[in-house]
Amino acid sequence: MAELHIIGQLTGAFGFPSQNLFCKWGVSAGRSWELLEGLDAGQTQLDLAPDGEPVVWAHPLDLHYACRGLAGWPKIFFQVWCQDIHGRNDICGYGFCHVPTSPGQYELDCPTWVPEGTLGERITAFFLGGNPRLKYEEVVYMPGDRFRLNTVASGIVQLRLGVMVKDFERNHVQFG
Amino acid sequence: MGDTIGPSSFTILATGQIECAQIPSCTNAYLKFQFVAGEDWQLLDGLEEGITQAARVPEGRDGVLVWNFPIDITYKTTNAFGWPQLVVAVYGLDIFGRDVIKGYGCMHLPMSAGRYNLTLRLFRPRSASALQSFTSWLTGMPAEFSDPKFPSYGEGREVTRVQSGGHVKVQINLLTKDMDVFGYVDGSGRDMATVTQM
């Protein structure tokens, strides 16, 4: 049976409106993928970075999947949250990226977006906090109907991933 | 298939150096490092942990602390899960001359054979309150992680609040042996122009 190793870290982020950020992340894979070892969801530390520098999470990722079918290649999705001086957490960005399908060492930059409310909601959020959040979080990484969702671009999440495969070529899979 | 008995494990060899660090408002520091690997990994050669010398920033130059500390480590394993991570902790001197933590950093060793320049960004725990921050400055005991391997863990990080600043530069050359016999493909034999390298 073919196996996939995803080993690396959620390095950090930059370009967000706040410098006090943490990230909730998860990995989603199709039905023919089975997680043999490792954690496929987690939350990073809350880091406060100096102005102009990227936020540092350095959260290790080490996943070992068994693959019986190529459909549903794993993808990593994130929710970036910020904490204000009062200790309230607010959503700052949603994003996802596919794990690269060729083995090797990668530095990935994943852009994120945040849902935008009406003008009234934005004014309220400015004073009271509470940006709109997604009700169904699968929208971030599943293809589907996002037509009624208005979003605005947010910062960029940085990942450092190593991808290693076992026995794929024995099953006649080409990576290019 | 199966008439020849191949190797029962593959080996990785990492050599290189912990080159230098740049940490704001830190002019004198040393670094403690350690390699953390999974249960299936066995150390064949080299030191899994060590301490560099205490370095000082030269007068009139950019604040670069140079250690040039050699790293040489060989691991044997049957499973790529638990790939070794390099965890560093930089300690500096405060104005009263006591050792205080300046930052922790962590990074996996690269997975493809080759030469890499790694930048480990440093972070350190934040005190829980302004009062605690003041008393820790006074007594020279800022908040530290009780387990020095903590930056390499994937669990339990959600309750930590840290502040970041500074980075450590590490050069690593990685060699692997017998990975192809095991059926692993790590991408190092491929055309590098199509792969995003660091």
Side-chain angles (χ1 to χ4, degrees):
Chain A
M1 193 165 18
E3 291 171 32
L4 170 70
H5 287 272
I6 305 167
I7 296 176
Q9 65 176 215
L10 209 55
T11 312
F14 63 90
F16 284 91
S18 163
Q19 288 287 90
N20 197 15
L21 301 171
F22 67 93
C23 178
K24 291 191 198 179
W25 60 274
V27 180
S28 153
R31 277 192 314 262
S32 41
W33 295 79
E34 186 193 338
L35 183 66
L36 296 176
E37 288 170 303
L39 300 164
D40 64 352
Q43 188 174 319
T44 69
Q45 63 202 14
L46 170 65
D47 179 49
L48 175 64
D51 284 334
E53 298 215 7
V55 170
V56 175
W57 292 320
H59 193 96
L61 299 172
D62 198 337
L63 295 114
H64 183 190
Y65 277 98
C67 169
R68 274 185 298 276
L70 288 177
W73 191 277
K75 22 191 178 189
I76 308 182
F77 56 90
F78 338 94
Q79 297 178 14
V80 180
W81 293 75
C82 64
Q83 192 175 85
D84 63 12
I85 53 166
H86 307 292
R88 294 176 304 186
N89 294 334
D90 227 348
I91 191 75
C92 249
Y94 292 101
F96 91 100
C97 79
H98 269 98
V99 171
T101 55
S102 308
Q105 191 77 38
Y106 298 91
E107 292 258 323
L108 302 173
D109 279 351
C110 308
T112 61
W113 48 267
V114 79
E116 195 178 48
T118 63
L119 181 61
E121 284 169 2
R122 274 180 270 160
I123 294 175
T124 316
F126 178 80
F127 289 106
L128 302 177
N131 280 324
R133 298 178 199 174
L134 288 177
K135 194 169 164 188
Y136 301 107
E137 289 167 358
E138 300 80 45
V139 161
V140 176
Y141 53 90
M142 301 288 248
D145 186 10
R146 290 188 191 176
F147 178 65
R148 276 171 286 274
L149 188 59
N150 292 325
T151 67
V152 70
S154 194
I156 295 183
V157 173
Q158 292 175 307
L159 280 173
R160 203 177 150 270
L161 284 186
V163 176
M164 185 180 289
V165 296
K166 184 172 190 287
D167 294 338
F168 270 80
E169 304 201 322
R170 216 173 276 179
N171 287 292
H172 311 292
V173 174
Q174 297 289 331
F175 296 110
Chain B
M1 278 291 296
D3 25 313
T4 58
I5 299 182
S8 58
S9 56
F10 68 89
T11 310
I12 68 167
L13 164 69
T15 64
Q17 53 166 304
I18 297 180
E19 191 184 299
C20 63
Q22 213 158 353
I23 304 174
S25 65
C26 175
T27 55
N28 193 324
Y30 65 91
L31 179 145
K32 282 195 205 177
F33 71 89
Q34 116 179 129
F35 284 96
V36 179
E39 288 168 352
D40 296 323
W41 290 75
Q42 190 189 339
L43 179 71
L44 283 185
D45 195 38
L47 293 172
E48 251 182 334
E49 49 187 35
I51 305 186
T52 67
Q53 77 272 23
R56 199 171 62 81
V57 168
E59 306 288 344
R61 290 261 305 273
D62 308 331
V64 179
L65 296 149
V66 173
W67 290 304
N68 265 9
F69 192 86
I71 303 178
D72 200 333
I73 197 152
T74 308
Y75 276 103
K76 177 172 98 159
T77 185
T78 53
N79 183 4
F81 180 75
W83 196 271
Q85 300 183 60
L86 173 63
V87 180
V88 301
V90 180
Y91 290 87
L93 295 183
D94 67 358
I95 55 166
F96 300 117
R98 300 169 297 199
D99 281 351
V100 293
I101 184 73
K102 291 291 177 186
Y104 295 92
C106 176
M107 195 171 267
H108 275 103
L109 286 182
M111 289 186 78
S112 295
R115 183 184 162 82
Y116 299 86
N117 289 316
L118 307 179
T119 302
L120 277 73
R121 294 220 161 83
L122 299 175
F123 54 89
R124 63 183 197 276
R126 269 188 266 174
S127 298
S129 66
L131 177 65
Q132 198 188 70
S133 167
F134 175 70
T135 52
S136 64
W137 173 81
L138 207 56
T139 57
M141 289 191 297
E144 281 184 45
F145 291 130
S146 53
D147 185 349
K149 295 186 189 175
F150 183 76
S152 68
Y153 297 159
E155 286 183 285
R157 301 284 287 267
E158 61 265 17
V159 293
T160 51
R161 297 177 347 132
V162 300
Q163 56 191 346
S164 54
H167 59 265
V168 174
K169 289 204 171 138
V170 178
Q171 279 172 17
I172 295 272
N173 300 295
L174 193 85
L175 273 181
T176 65
K177 181 176 186 294
D178 294 331
M179 274 179 110
D180 49 350
V181 176
F182 246 59
Y184 280 109
V185 176
D186 64 353
S188 54
R190 297 169 53 234
D191 177 11
M192 288 309 159
T194 62
V195 174
T196 306
Q197 283 277 346
M198 304 158 5

